[in-house]
Amino acid sequence: MVDRLITSYPPPTAPGIYGIISAAGPSVGPSGLGVVAIVGKSSFGPVGTAVQCGSPSAVQTIFGDPSAVGREVAPVSTLANLAREAAIGGAIGFVAVRVSGTTPGTTAKITAGIMDSASTVVGQLAAASPGVFGNQLYCKIQTVLGSSTQKELVVTKGATVVQDTRFTSGAGEIDNLAAATVGAPYAIFTKSASGSGTLGALASTQMQGGADPSGTSPTDYSNAFAALSTWPWATLVTDSEDIAGVGNAVKSYVDTETLWGRFRTACVGEPTSVGVSTRYANAALLNSALVRYQGTGFTYPNGDGTYRNDEGYLAAATDAGIMSTLTPGTSMTWRAIPGATALVTGTPPYDEPTAIVNGMGYYKYSATLGIRTGAGISTLVNPATPPVWAIALNPGWKYLEHVATAFGLIGDIGDTWESMVANPDPVLRPPNTPAGRAALIAAANRSAKQYVDNSWIQSGDVIVDPAHPSTSNTAYFTFENLVVALRAERLVLALPFGTP
Amino acid sequence: MTETPATGDTAPAPAPAAAPPPPPPGPAQQASAGEPAYTMAEIQAEAQALGIYPWDVAGIFGRHPGVEAMTEAEFRAALEEWRSPPPEPAPDPNEGGF
């Protein structure tokens, strides 16, 4: 990877690989391909901590069920929904962060406490994390069937055993249970007294008193973003539809990430209950090469004969799934939403030319693909205003395909150079001499040639930057004739029929 | 990667959420009351000292469209608002699918 995108010469004093994006050249693939960072509310799971999950069901296991399968006005548990929708778009992994609130949640527990054989309370058995999900858990402590030396704490949710923690019985078993449940996923025992030294039997008992955090504010989202920085992921999506506040924070966050060489994108969305003119305005508000605003939606079968409206944050999650898979030479255009059954456009519906001018993403119907993405533009409608990570951008940056190709090219050359300048044998590291720079150029051009061979760029050769002579341990390089190749997506067919 | 991690290689850890100290002096605009006002970029540059993240500042200014700069008092008030939960939105007629 590159260590940082910089916007001025000379580069920082620290050793590293730095990239400069300017209008003369083009543009890159995000890291964490196919991985979507999801930030939202939930009824279980760690708060404010990033957790890697390999599937939507893993997200649901760790963070609990969604409060509703569809979009709600004030949903209390959304992480599972975000993961499900992102998977529809093609996401293959997730880094999830549960947001907190101004009122912290409370942890469900066995209200009577855990007692010893003399019915004296010796500790508390509580859910591993706060939230109402804990109220669905039942706990019992019993002797392991067929064993005279082991007991077990069995935690069930419905008919499913979700935790079975075994510990040595007899003297010290209270301590043994406490030790055995350290870091347990659902129920944790905390000892408060020694009592008789042995535990009494606990019949299946429901935990109670769990409550979700409430009063989530924008600052809870921005705190969650910070937890994501060290993880590999490509695209960020949240359950917030606060475009002016959280949306702008999202944009600023991915800009900051990209500045530090971690190429990220993001998706936001608003439901069609928001007036279409407001959606146009909000799409333009987040004008950026890295952020896609989705202003429409689609209907999707729930699998039980009912359908949900996937719009707002749900549609943004689907788009995030698609965007997370973008590689050099691929775009957001003509991407089908498998299984979607109809469009959700609101009343009045969007106007396609106005949507494009404002950078509002939308879905449309295709006879061959069904529901598909409309214009593949990002929301970059004003390339004249560069983000913090670039000197200047050309209009090509309004295409997410261009963004993916440019970040891929920078990233690949950065990886190649990193293996050279960080060679474990210092003697083999390239010197800052004509020969050393030539070796670096040759390696970079091997990467560039791969992009030409795959028609990801039309042309481009790495050369020593003639405007910036190499000095000391700093060498400058640039591209000449660098042109990104976009797919042919606007086809015009004239039909000059003759008169019969 | 670098041998020495570059400053800012990870997200800056904000200080505990206390009342922010006064923004730094800078080429700021002057508010009508004579108090210096600070642009988003100026406040972002001091975000860590203020105990917030740079993207917090972007979100706060995003909630005040058209505002180019804020005085310390204005920013303190906006930050307090930023840390408060938004009011409950109106019911969505499309809620729940069909």
Side-chain angles (χ1 to χ4, degrees), chain A residues 110 114 124-127 138-144 150-156 161-168 176-178 180-182 184-190 199 202-205 207:
Chain A
I110 302 296
I114 301 301
Q124 295 293 333
L125 189 59
Y138 286 76
C139 303
K140 62 180 175 181
I141 297 175
Q142 61 191 10
T143 300
V144 174
Q150 281 204 312
K151 286 186 173 180
E152 62 184 348
L153 163 66
V154 181
V155 184
T156 55
V161 174
V162 293
Q163 178 182 331
D164 184 351
T165 303
R166 299 189 174 191
F167 54 98
T168 304
N176 294 343
L177 174 59
T181 58
V182 171
Y186 289 96
I188 294 174
F189 173 71
T190 306
L199 292 164
L202 175 69
S204 184
T205 306
M207 286 188 171

Side-chain angles (χ1 to χ4, degrees), chain A residues 362-390:
Chain A
Y362 57 88
Y363 299 110
K364 60 191 302 183
Y365 179 76
S366 160
T368 56
L369 298 174
I371 307 301
R372 68 169 177 86
T373 55
I377 56 171
S378 69
T379 53
L380 181 64
V381 295
N382 185 10
T385 305
V388 294
W389 42 269

Side-chain angles (χ1 to χ4, degrees), chain A residues 185-267:
Chain A
Y186 289 96
I188 294 174
F189 173 71
T190 306
K191 177 186 169 185
S192 60
S194 296
S196 66
T198 56
L199 292 164
L202 175 69
S204 184
T205 306
Q206 186 175 11
M207 286 188 171
Q208 295 177 328
D212 293 331
S214 61
T216 301
S217 67
T219 198
D220 294 310
Y221 287 91
S222 61
N223 290 339
F225 298 161
L228 289 167
S229 285
T230 55
W231 296 82
W233 51 270
T235 306
L236 167 68
V237 67
T238 78
D239 67 357
S240 174
E241 293 165 351
D242 168 15
I243 299 301
V246 175
N248 269 292
V250 165
K251 175 184 164 188
S252 176
Y253 173 66
V254 294
D255 273 340
T256 303
E257 286 289 288
T258 299
L259 177 67
W260 289 105
R262 299 184 286 267
F263 302 127
R264 321 277 205 188
T265 54
C267 286

Side-chain angles (χ1 to χ4, degrees), chain B:
Chain B
M1 289 295 291
T2 58
E3 293 171 1
T4 305
T7 303
D9 196 32
T10 56
Q29 303 175 23
Q30 295 293 316
S32 56
E35 277 188 84
Y38 302 90
T39 64
M40 184 173 83
E42 288 172 336
I43 299 175
Q44 279 182 317
E46 298 299 324
Q48 193 163 3
L50 293 169
I52 56 177
Y53 296 107
W55 46 91
D56 278 313
V57 183
I60 289 169
F61 272 79
R63 282 182 147 196
H64 296 80
V67 174
E68 300 280 329
M70 293 187 189
T71 64
E72 180 189 343
E74 288 168 343
F75 187 74
R76 281 177 185 273
L79 182 58
E80 197 57 39
E81 185 185 316
W82 180 251
R83 288 171 170 160
S84 304
E88 289 293 318
D92 182 350
N94 295 331
E95 180 183 334
F98 55 91

